[in-house]
Amino acid sequence: MKPRAAAPAIRPPPVPSSPARSLADSYGRVRAASERLVAPLSAEDCQAQSMPDASPAKWHLAHVSWFFETFVLERFEPDHRPFDERFRVLFNSYYHGVGAQHPRAERGLVTRPGLVEVLRYRAQIDERVLALLHSAAADGAELRALVTLGLQHEQQHQELLLTDIKHLLSRHPAHPAYARRWPIAAVQPEALRWFAYGASLFDLGHDPAADGAFGFDNETPRHRVWLDAFELASRPVSHGEYRAFIEDGGYLRPELWLSLGWDWVQAGRRRAPLYWQRLGERWHSHTLQGLVEIDDRTPVCHLSYFEADAYARWAGARLPTEAEWERAARALHGPQRGANFADGGVFHPLPNADAVSDEPVQMLGDVWEWTASSYAPYPGYRVAAGAVGEYNGKFMCNQFVLRGGSCATPVGHVRASYRNFFAPEAQWQFSGLRLARDRRD
Amino acid sequence: MKPRAAAPAIRPPPVPSSPARSLADSYGRVRAASERLVAPLSAEDCQAQSMPDASPAKWHLAHVSWFFETFVLERFEPDHRPFDERFRVLFNSYYHGVGAQHPRAERGLVTRPGLVEVLRYRAQIDERVLALLHSAAADGAELRALVTLGLQHEQQHQELLLTDIKHLLSRHPAHPAYARRWPIAAVQPEALRWFAYGASLFDLGHDPAADGAFGFDNETPRHRVWLDAFELASRPVSHGEYRAFIEDGGYLRPELWLSLGWDWVQAGRRRAPLYWQRLGERWHSHTLQGLVEIDDRTPVCHLSYFEADAYARWAGARLPTEAEWERAARALHGPQRGANFADGGVFHPLPNADAVSDEPVQMLGDVWEWTASSYAPYPGYRVAAGAVGEYNGKFMCNQFVLRGGSCATPVGHVRASYRNFFAPEAQWQFSGLRLARDRRD
Amino acid sequence: MKPRAAAPAIRPPPVPSSPARSLADSYGRVRAASERLVAPLSAEDCQAQSMPDASPAKWHLAHVSWFFETFVLERFEPDHRPFDERFRVLFNSYYHGVGAQHPRAERGLVTRPGLVEVLRYRAQIDERVLALLHSAAADGAELRALVTLGLQHEQQHQELLLTDIKHLLSRHPAHPAYARRWPIAAVQPEALRWFAYGASLFDLGHDPAADGAFGFDNETPRHRVWLDAFELASRPVSHGEYRAFIEDGGYLRPELWLSLGWDWVQAGRRRAPLYWQRLGERWHSHTLQGLVEIDDRTPVCHLSYFEADAYARWAGARLPTEAEWERAARALHGPQRGANFADGGVFHPLPNADAVSDEPVQMLGDVWEWTASSYAPYPGYRVAAGAVGEYNGKFMCNQFVLRGGSCATPVGHVRASYRNFFAPEAQWQFSGLRLARDRRD
Amino acid sequence: MKPRAAAPAIRPPPVPSSPARSLADSYGRVRAASERLVAPLSAEDCQAQSMPDASPAKWHLAHVSWFFETFVLERFEPDHRPFDERFRVLFNSYYHGVGAQHPRAERGLVTRPGLVEVLRYRAQIDERVLALLHSAAADGAELRALVTLGLQHEQQHQELLLTDIKHLLSRHPAHPAYARRWPIAAVQPEALRWFAYGASLFDLGHDPAADGAFGFDNETPRHRVWLDAFELASRPVSHGEYRAFIEDGGYLRPELWLSLGWDWVQAGRRRAPLYWQRLGERWHSHTLQGLVEIDDRTPVCHLSYFEADAYARWAGARLPTEAEWERAARALHGPQRGANFADGGVFHPLPNADAVSDEPVQMLGDVWEWTASSYAPYPGYRVAAGAVGEYNGKFMCNQFVLRGGSCATPVGHVRASYRNFFAPEAQWQFSGLRLARDRRD
């Protein structure tokens, strides 16, 4: 992706390019990042669970440590003894292969261990994993693969921790801010343009040469697909464009919606995306910086698949398939310098400050982009052996793929082949959209 | 599909090949078939609605007539006056473009008009449609297309009428039979074999030359897809094979199930497919012929997608994609002579009586076959203009494609490109599966 | 109760006073009345069940026959054989002592037997019960008591059949009428006056000398209660008075409601009683005579306990206790000549045509009157032995007592000691209220 | 109540008789008691809400302070400024007269203010209330009445805090203890005996001479009731007696249950009271001291009304009415010395250590006793003016009265006329029962 000329007032500082780091270095860096995320939160903030889909921040901190304990320490420590054997059930999310799980909807009722004890748990796990990584065992490919998976897993939970806290704070009538208020954005995004791509056979899926060594199993195997010609929009849909959809009766016109989407609109009496509220004449939105007036120039987010799909239909376009998206992403030239990831500390999508670009912008960062593709196994997909095989495959039903990462994603975590997935009614992620359309010849 | 040597005792009589018929002839034949289906039913049977997903038989009879009245007569009759203007809402299923709809879950509460009045409604609609078809208007392509669509629509509802009545009668403790008891099946199906298909670019979708002139919009446009090599099973999975899955703890092992599927098993305390019940030592099943002992030799049906998927995983295989299925179906040689469709009057899947075949058997008829494919628009898919555009496209979310028709499908209604679709938890259709697997080289 | 001068245009014809009748005569008369009630209904009307609380008319016809078969014929026929042994479960309402019951919410799915078969069932039961009543067994007190109970039971179901059909027809958008439209009421009710009653010890409960030989077990034993002085309104609250409550924001003011009542208002977004709908400027109501404009002069009905209680609070009064109501009812002078019961065929509460009365009017007939009394056992209450003991006692929880009968009650069925009972949210009975207040000294 | 000879090993220390205290002293003592109750709890423990019926401990601490701020300080402080104006909504429970309320089911999501801030809130409220109480305003009857009401209110919430924490900790698989384990009870309760009471007119309700000056409005006015002769059991039902009911199939026999109770048993697949679990051969129970084996000698608790009623029926007895209970309580001779209230720190019902008594024992303390009486207004009951009028009256529907206090009630809080009330399915209070029966002459 072509570098964006950072607009200092509104963009996060550029992320320094990663030097080669040892696995132990990466481990320390990722683990510390999780703890930095809870620094602005009280023990109470870390305890509450605002809905079954969300988890308490404390649970996230513990669960990612459980992952290392269960899948790394249990297996590789010569004389393994658990930190607390009850944690095996308490902090197991959904791994039937590991045994029972505490009921998901009751994570917020687990008041013990408290936050302090969970931090102590983290410290001990860190000590023990690092000991392993400095031992002879660290040469083993399986250990390294599992630690790497654990770090990627922890980064995913860093994003969930942010979106879950955002949801929790939204239930408070005062809309407390998680972070400081950002400066007012001053950049007007470029007008939407279309980029064309010809028909072709395309190799879809994780390519270590281009994407880096690590990829989740759901990105594999790389496989051939036929793609018809298509066009892709230069940037994500903005809040202003989405507001026009609302004002044009978007939530009142069944012909714009999938049937399930229309039921969802009616049942919830929905008239705007999650977190929007009308105050007098103007739309505001709950953000991680508190309740703020909506800035038309920023990418729209917190859309369900239903809303993204309805908007695209209204706009005379459609959502891209994930293959189309990945093809376009692979064709980008530049690095992702200046992209808006969690590390920038803004935690909100921003308008793009680039001058007119010769390729799509903001494909990574800012907002996850809903695709038209159901989350399904790639041809030849094999689930990993053992309990870690429950990581991805069993969720391949009634979910849609999102691509590209968001302003809550840790920098360096996403890539062109990365597949995120959520149910079509999910709104609490930073989910937006980018339009596509069939090639007009 | 190669002809099957009909085993007279257990197979329905062969359906005579269709002579070329005029549209008016087809109209008369399809409409009469609907009325034959309710002949064994009382006014009360036709009134009741056993669940929101199912509709009363009387509603089916009226709704398909409403379709002709609304989409054909309203448009083409020079001086149109409705049979009863209140029917416009009462019998509208889900066409927002036509106006309001009576709530789906309350169709069983519409006691007026009664069955007799609905049959009178049908008679008048028939008279008026046939008058149009014998007038000059009958030369118009749009009229012919809409009447043809109406007839295909009515055939779909004939199948739903049967599956809905089956569900209704299953709620009665005496399990009343809809039709006479069939003779006991005496044929052992061949052992399952695998047929191999090489990698290729394949043209997926409706091909008038091969499939006949009519196809639903969701079968179009025909488009190119890349297919990796695969293998397909020679026949559907049988009741006996599925029983082995149950006896191997299939419903007790989370590792065999999709996550949503496992939730569904747990929430419903499920241990067998819909309609099965254990009486003493033996499994029985509610059928349209009453409660009967399960015959291991017949194809298993009334599976949800979750069950079909779990069975396939247990069997070390997978479901085929719809492209794989269609590719194999297009390669069949023979006609569908002897296939088990609704017209045979058995209304239950039967074992295949063929000698060993050199290609898959029973791809049409007997049981709908779940595929691994989410129901999604084909590339370039365009929804038809107007309210009939609500026929298919808006349901393309959280449903899976089934292929091939069933023992409740009217003969001549399905084809290689035909896409049926249901939510993954749906069980009340005659839904089974055929295994596929990646090509072992 | 003082006789009312019948206003021919709006009151039903007077019911002739009952001559002494033999039990067999009563049996024939009550049974015939049930069948007259379904005469205006089709087989489909008799099949549908509009909510779990309501039952199909066909079920009512069968269940009351099941009562005679199970509690009379099984016990007294020398060589009893059931009409159809499956009916024992199908038409058992809630008598665990008799065995299993078909699930209440699925009564509308029992399409077999059909209406014709149920009428045949009735005919055979009639023949057999009458044979018993003409045999030597008819001298036995237990037989006579059970037949009498069965007839009272059937009369209760006659009222339920009417209220259930009213509810069913209300779900039809055309609001079909069950009976002919009545003439417009022309009588203005007298202004509400108060009658005073002094403090006293009062004997509450069934008094054979005053109430007739029959009483349900829940009316016994007669027992002493202390009553403080109170006042009772001369007549039920009218539609016009209730409309004033609505217009005064009655449904918008939490201070007028019980806490559960306010929750019920909010959850259901209620703004008026059941069956009311606003058409343009005016309130209409679904009745057994179709949708009609509300007549302010008629007693209000289809109120929940919550609404009756809130209205009373708004009016600066309260509901009477059942002891207060019964005390006042026992003090009435005249017979119930001209009262508005089901036999009059109006099926709607009417204004009272009396000149100014020296005692409360309309205490029997027109509308059931909610009392402030929870439905509880009288001191010393004993449940009858055997399954008929399930008739009343087990429902004594979370229900409130209503007194006086309604326009859907068979004439002669109610008496001063009669206790009806429904949950506080129930609205589909002809339930209204009469105000009471503490004595102002 | 006759003094019980305290068995030191198992009974809490006797509570010293209250010296006359000033209102300010009482205020300080009650407020401090609340804070002592949360001493064993972490910030996380105080945050979580385990079900909509329960509230977080932090919420209790804040809400009782809100009560003083809203009803006392707002009214009597000359220049009132709120501690935090947002608390007015956040900590309003159900007083519509005060304005909006934070949704009850989301109290656990209010993470801000945290526990520390709530304690600061309490400190400031204390300072300000005490300033008022030391000012001239303290002579006013209304101020004194409202402060007194606020203290009684706070004591009620002290009990709820304990029962809510008990429920929360029960959701934790480790069943953490709130308090230290008590010594094993060593006393066998006396065999159950019956005490007889003759028929009479009885004055029911609060009697300042006997009950002390304070009573809630729902205990008034004192009024006359007629009571038939009855008998009352000498002590509450024990765990051992209740276990016999279970072992006799109590949860499997519909004839023992109210109809709603049987539905409740079936829907919840209940086989024992709340908190019981079977470990191997023996029943255990979650207590505030952790999971312990059930001691047959202790009074049974955590029964719903349905269970209490079913047990009584099984035992050939019934529940007393609240008038019967109060009559017997008024006839007791001695003080409540040695009774088991919250101040003893046991938080669990205990067997009675008295030698054979000549009157019923344990009528106060140990367990709340379900009565057969629906919670209804006493004749002549008047709701207090203003928002405090919402305290009691609006809950008089679908609740049953409990009498006598429990081991979680603050000493001195209950009296003979005290009316507690809960819905019949509520189990999480220390609710047990004492048998009654009609007088056998």
Side-chain angles (χ1 to χ4, degrees), chain A residues 147-166:
Chain A
V147 170
T148 301
L149 180 63
L151 293 177
Q152 296 288 335
H153 172 255
E154 183 142 354
Q155 288 189 308
Q156 292 185 314
H157 279 276
Q158 287 166 1
E159 177 152 7
L160 292 172
L161 190 155
L162 286 167
T163 53
D164 291 356
I165 277 292
K166 182 169 181 176

Side-chain angles (χ1 to χ4, degrees), chain B residues 256-420:
Chain B
L256 297 175
W257 295 80
L258 287 164
S259 182
L260 287 180
W262 184 244
D263 294 347
W264 175 86
V265 166
Q266 297 300 98
R269 300 167 180 266
R270 297 176 195 276
R271 295 294 177 265
L274 180 65
Y275 297 144
W276 288 39
Q277 56 180 269
R278 192 90 181 174
L279 298 179
E281 294 293 294
R282 295 174 174 285
W283 283 110
H284 289 65
S285 168
H286 167 79
T287 73
L288 279 169
Q289 321 253 6
L291 192 70
V292 300
E293 190 178 337
I294 277 175
D295 184 332
D296 280 355
R297 296 168 293 188
T298 56
V300 67
C301 60
H302 297 300
L303 301 185
S304 68
Y305 177 82
F306 297 131
E307 290 166 306
D309 171 82
Y311 176 87
R313 193 168 291 112
W314 173 80
R318 60 170 172 84
L319 298 178
T321 64
E322 61 172 326
E324 290 169 343
W325 192 97
E326 184 167 325
R327 185 179 165 202
R330 291 215 179 283
L332 296 175
H333 301 106
Q336 310 167 22
R337 201 168 63 86
N340 180 11
F341 288 112
D343 308 64
V346 171
F347 306 126
H348 200 69
L350 290 176
N352 186 267
D354 279 1
V356 171
S357 167
D358 61 350
E359 63 185 13
V361 297
Q362 291 180 285
M363 290 195 67
L364 297 201
D366 285 308
V367 293
W368 287 100
E369 301 178 12
W370 283 109
T371 74
S373 300
S374 293
Y375 182 45
Y378 283 166
Y381 171 64
R382 288 281 172 276
V383 165
V388 291
E390 299 184 52
Y391 203 102
N392 271 311
K394 72 182 184 183
F395 301 109
M396 291 174 173
C397 182
N398 288 11
Q399 314 235 24
F400 284 84
V401 173
L402 302 101
R403 292 296 194 109
S406 82
C407 57
T409 308
V411 73
H413 180 66
V414 285
R415 58 200 152 264
S417 57
Y418 196 101
R419 307 173 81 195
N420 199 355

Side-chain angles (χ1 to χ4, degrees), chain A residues 40-45 47-50 58 86 90 102 106 108-112 114-115 168-169 171-174 176-177, chain D residues 40-45 47-50 58 86 90 102 106 108-112 114-115 168-169 171-174 176-177:
Chain A
L41 302 176
S42 67
E44 286 95 338
D45 292 333
Q47 175 62 39
Q49 178 177 30
S50 58
K58 188 182 75 180
R86 292 169 303 185
L90 274 183
H102 194 73
E106 299 203 357
L109 305 186
V110 178
T111 59
R112 303 177 187 198
L115 179 59
L168 171 64
L169 296 177
R171 308 305 297 167
H172 195 294
Chain D
L41 301 176
S42 67
E44 287 95 338
D45 292 334
Q47 176 61 40
Q49 178 177 29
S50 58
K58 188 182 75 180
R86 292 169 302 186
L90 274 184
H102 194 73
E106 299 202 357
L109 305 187
V110 178
T111 59
R112 304 179 186 195
L115 179 59
L168 171 64
L169 296 177
R171 307 306 297 166
H172 195 292

Side-chain angles (χ1 to χ4, degrees), chain A residues 247-292:
Chain A
E247 287 161 8
D248 193 38
Y251 285 84
L252 306 171
R253 294 164 53 185
E255 72 272 19
L256 297 174
W257 296 79
L258 288 164
S259 181
L260 286 180
W262 184 245
D263 294 348
W264 175 86
V265 166
Q266 297 299 99
R269 299 168 180 266
R270 298 176 194 277
R271 296 292 177 267
L274 182 65
Y275 296 143
W276 288 39
Q277 58 179 264
R278 192 91 181 173
L279 297 179
E281 295 292 293
R282 295 175 173 284
W283 283 110
H284 289 66
S285 167
H286 167 79
T287 74
L288 279 168
Q289 321 253 7
L291 191 68
V292 300

Side-chain angles (χ1 to χ4, degrees), chain D residues 166-349:
Chain D
K166 182 169 182 177
H167 189 264
L168 171 64
L169 296 177
S170 80
R171 307 306 297 166
H172 195 292
H175 292 281
Y178 166 80
R180 61 167 167 45
R181 179 85 192 260
W182 66 83
I184 300 302
V187 184
Q188 184 69 27
E190 54 169 346
L192 189 149
R193 290 172 303 132
W194 295 94
F195 292 94
Y197 302 82
S200 69
L201 276 170
F202 171 66
D203 285 331
L204 178 65
H206 185 250
D207 174 6
D211 298 320
F214 179 82
F216 286 109
D217 62 355
N218 64 5
E219 303 168 42
T220 66
R222 199 169 195 217
H223 64 286
R224 189 168 293 183
V225 295
W226 174 262
L227 280 183
D228 289 323
F230 69 98
E231 297 184 356
L232 193 70
S234 55
R235 57 163 176 74
V237 171
S238 71
H239 272 97
E241 288 160 345
Y242 197 84
R243 217 164 38 75
F245 164 73
I246 296 176
E247 287 161 9
D248 193 37
Y251 285 84
L252 307 171
R253 294 164 53 186
E255 71 272 19
L256 297 174
W257 296 79
L258 288 164
S259 181
L260 286 180
W262 183 245
D263 294 347
W264 175 85
V265 166
Q266 298 299 99
R269 299 169 181 264
R270 296 174 195 278
R271 296 292 177 266
L274 182 65
Y275 296 144
W276 288 39
Q277 57 178 267
R278 192 92 181 173
L279 297 179
E281 295 292 293
R282 294 175 174 284
W283 283 109
H284 288 66
S285 167
H286 167 78
T287 74
L288 279 168
Q289 321 252 8
L291 191 69
V292 301
E293 190 178 337
I294 277 176
D295 185 332
D296 280 355
R297 297 167 296 189
T298 56
V300 66
C301 61
H302 297 301
L303 301 187
S304 68
Y305 177 82
F306 298 131
E307 289 165 308
D309 170 82
Y311 176 86
R313 192 167 292 114
W314 173 80
R318 60 171 172 80
L319 299 177
T321 64
E322 63 171 324
E324 290 169 343
W325 192 97
E326 185 167 325
R327 184 174 168 206
R330 292 217 178 282
L332 297 174
H333 301 108
Q336 311 167 24
R337 200 167 63 87
N340 180 12
F341 288 113
D343 308 63
V346 172
F347 307 126
H348 200 68

